[in-house]
């Protein structure tokens, strides 16, 4: 190889190395951008779903038993649909030629997407406490549990500390809806982020119907939807 040929080869090698670094940087940037876009869409969907819950929560407590399940299922379906749609768009553009190093990054991204979806849903439920009809929402959550109780039982209810002012009103609404149950509010705060805890007078059993448990109920469905599309 002549000296002139060697000098010509060096710029070509430098350019190739620069292209490789640029490609690696683009992969990392696109995946971070993908996570940011999905988080934004999920949060928007959580807001829309929350508004649907608030509108329907103004109905009387007796209708809440059936409505609560329907509303939460609609939220789950909406979040899953949004995550699946965004995942398809990103996958078609960015993940067709994934290699083994990127596979590990993709697994971490999948975990982040699932966790973000669940946290967004949970945060949307916690934000319901800001609404003026929050007592009706708590009544609906507790009523969903009371519907499954055997008749003629003494039942006590606890709320989180911040929700204690609603306790007596919620207990009265539940008594009206379930006159066969002896329901009383226990002022001792429950270690939950929202929702209600109902338990027997002797504390032989308890049912936790809080926002964290509601989010956990949808964890498997969200994971399957995200993983199927990435």
């Amino acid at each position: 190889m002549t000296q002139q040929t060697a000098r010509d080869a060096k710029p070509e090698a430098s350019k190739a190395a620069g292209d490789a670094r640029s490609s690696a940087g683009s992969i990392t940037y696109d995946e971070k951008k993908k996570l940011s876009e999905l988080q934004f869409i999920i949060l928007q969907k959580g807001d829309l779903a929350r508004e649907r819950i608030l509108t329907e929560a103004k109905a009387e407590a007796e209708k809440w038993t059936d409505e609560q399940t329907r509303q939460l299922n609609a939220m789950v379906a909406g979040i899953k649909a949004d995550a699946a749609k965004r995942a398809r768009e990103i996958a078609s553009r960015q993940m067709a030629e994934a290699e083994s190093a990127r596979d590990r990054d993709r697994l971490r991204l999948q975990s982040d997407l699932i966790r973000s979806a669940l946290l967004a849903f949970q945060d949307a439920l916690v934000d319901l406490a800001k609404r003026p009809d929050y007592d009706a929402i708590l009544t609906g959550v507790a009523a969903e549990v009371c519907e499954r109780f055997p008749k003629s039982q003494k039942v006590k209810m606890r709320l989180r500390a911040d929700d204690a002012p609603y306790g007596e009103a919620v207990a009265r609404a539940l008594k009206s809806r379930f006159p066969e149950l002896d329901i009383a509010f226990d002022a001792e705060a429950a270690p939950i982020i929202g929702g209600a805890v109902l338990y027997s007078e002797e504390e032989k059993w308890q049912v936790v119907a809080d926002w964290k448990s509601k989010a956990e109920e949808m964890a498997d469905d969200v994971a399957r939807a995200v993983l199927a599309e990435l």
Side-chain angles (χ1 to χ4, degrees):
M1 179 183 295
T2 66
Q3 291 182 349
Q4 180 62 37
T5 302
R7 284 194 299 270
D8 291 343
K10 289 181 181 180
E12 293 298 325
S14 298
K15 181 176 181 303
D19 290 343
R21 288 193 297 270
S22 175
S23 176
S26 176
I27 290 171
T28 301
Y29 170 79
D30 288 341
E31 290 181 347
K32 289 181 179 178
K33 179 181 178 183
K34 172 176 58 178
L35 176 58
S36 177
E37 289 175 348
L38 282 172
Q39 289 173 328
F40 179 75
I41 292 299
I42 291 168
L43 287 172
Q44 282 188 322
K45 190 61 183 180
D47 288 341
L48 293 174
R50 178 185 63 188
E51 291 303 320
R52 290 199 302 272
I53 287 181
L54 296 175
T55 299
E56 295 174 356
K58 295 177 182 180
E60 56 186 302
E62 185 175 357
K63 296 178 182 179
W64 258 92
T65 300
D66 295 332
E67 289 297 316
Q68 187 70 13
T69 299
R70 188 187 65 79
Q71 293 163 6
L72 292 176
N73 287 341
M75 277 188 170
V76 172
I79 291 174
K80 287 167 54 181
D82 246 11
K85 178 182 177 181
R86 182 57 58 184
R88 283 195 300 270
E89 293 173 354
I90 295 172
S92 64
R93 295 193 308 266
Q94 305 297 335
M95 291 188 168
E97 302 292 334
E99 298 177 354
S100 124
R102 284 190 60 196
D103 287 343
R104 291 193 297 270
D105 292 337
R106 187 168 64 247
L107 288 175
R108 287 194 293 270
L109 177 61
Q110 289 166 354
S111 178
D112 288 341
L113 291 174
I114 294 168
R115 183 164 51 253
S116 295
L118 295 177
L119 288 176
F121 177 66
Q122 182 176 291
D123 289 345
L125 294 177
V126 172
D127 283 345
L128 296 177
K130 301 175 182 177
R131 306 301 301 188
D133 51 0
Y134 186 49
D135 57 336
I137 296 174
L138 292 175
T139 299
V141 173
E144 182 181 2
V145 177
C146 290
E147 188 71 26
R148 305 195 299 265
F149 286 161
K151 309 306 180 185
S152 303
Q153 278 206 64
K154 290 186 177 181
V155 179
K156 290 190 176 182
M157 178 188 67
R158 289 180 182 144
L159 304 175
R160 66 171 182 162
D162 290 347
D163 296 341
Y166 301 106
E168 295 296 341
V170 172
R172 286 194 298 271
L174 291 174
K175 287 179 183 178
S176 176
R177 172 68 181 86
F178 304 98
E180 70 278 8
L181 296 177
D182 184 0
I183 301 174
F185 172 60
D186 182 351
E188 181 180 345
I192 56 177
I193 61 175
V197 176
L198 293 96
Y199 63 98
S200 66
E201 186 177 30
E202 301 82 10
E203 298 194 50
K204 292 182 178 179
W205 54 260
Q206 75 170 14
V207 178
V208 179
D210 68 336
W211 301 147
K212 183 177 180 181
S213 65
K214 291 297 182 184
E216 289 174 349
E217 287 174 6
M218 64 175 278
D220 289 344
D221 288 339
V222 171
R224 281 194 293 268
V226 173
L227 294 177
E229 301 298 338
L230 291 180

